Amino acid sequence: MTSRIARLFVLGLLAFASAEAFTQSPPPAPLPAWEKLTPQQREALIAPLRDRWNREPEDRPRMMERAQRWQALSPEQRAQARHGMKRFEGMSPEQRRQARALYGRMKELTPEQRAALRDQWKKMTPEQREAWMQENAPRRHPSREER
């Protein structure tokens, strides 16, 4: 009797596993290289950038400089940058404000000073962090909305 229950249990697991595999959608097909995209696909990708370029002429120099810096990055540096962008997108507005202030300050520091600031930041209370933010907040660009 117990062997029959065990067989039924195994058959049930197999049926469930095959049903689960059957209902899962296949992974999306890899997208082609830029040269293989249709004109409509290319347009969908570049339209937001073109709209921003036209809407914010005062930001054009900064946009161009960023594009040139991106081209100069190695594949590893680009992967790190993408990872950082994804982390930033997942932050709350307060976390973004703090990240901007820390990044702006750390750009000016030596590696040793950066490590010291990171250690100091970890030990600060929320009130101490807010005071530090008030003293070190980066200048906001007038055309940039909160992201």
Side-chain angles (χ1 to χ4, degrees), residues 91-114:
M91 292 179 179
S92 70
E94 177 60 21
Q95 290 171 319
R96 289 180 184 190
R97 187 174 73 94
Q98 290 179 2
R100 283 187 188 105
L102 283 168
Y103 178 77
R105 179 72 176 111
M106 286 196 176
K107 285 192 321 186
E108 304 164 355
L109 302 176
T110 66
E112 295 80 21
Q113 292 170 324
R114 288 180 195 149

Side-chain angles (χ1 to χ4, degrees), residues 68-84:
Q68 290 168 339
R69 274 193 326 196
W70 183 261
Q71 292 299 315
L73 294 177
S74 69
E76 295 81 22
Q77 290 170 321
R78 288 182 185 185
Q80 281 182 317
R82 284 187 195 99
H83 176 72

Side-chain angles (χ1 to χ4, degrees), residues 21-111:
F22 183 73
T23 60
Q24 290 180 353
S25 60
L31 293 172
W34 182 265
E35 296 75 22
K36 304 271 185 190
L37 292 175
T38 66
Q40 294 83 8
Q41 290 171 319
R42 290 181 188 183
E43 177 61 26
L45 289 167
I46 63 172
L49 178 60
R50 182 183 54 243
D51 293 344
R52 184 170 172 214
W53 182 270
N54 289 335
R55 185 179 62 245
E56 301 172 15
E58 68 281 358
D59 282 349
R60 289 176 187 168
R62 187 172 51 89
M63 292 169 68
M64 183 60 74
E65 188 265 332
R66 285 183 174 176
Q68 290 168 339
R69 274 193 326 196
W70 183 261
Q71 292 299 315
L73 294 177
S74 69
E76 295 81 22
Q77 290 170 321
R78 288 182 185 185
Q80 281 182 317
R82 284 187 195 99
H83 176 72
M85 287 185 278
K86 285 181 183 178
R87 279 188 59 207
F88 189 79
E89 289 169 357
M91 292 179 179
S92 70
E94 177 60 21
Q95 290 171 319
R96 289 180 184 190
R97 187 174 73 94
Q98 290 179 2
R100 283 187 188 105
L102 283 168
Y103 178 77
R105 179 72 176 111
M106 286 196 176
K107 285 192 321 186
E108 304 164 355
L109 302 176
T110 66

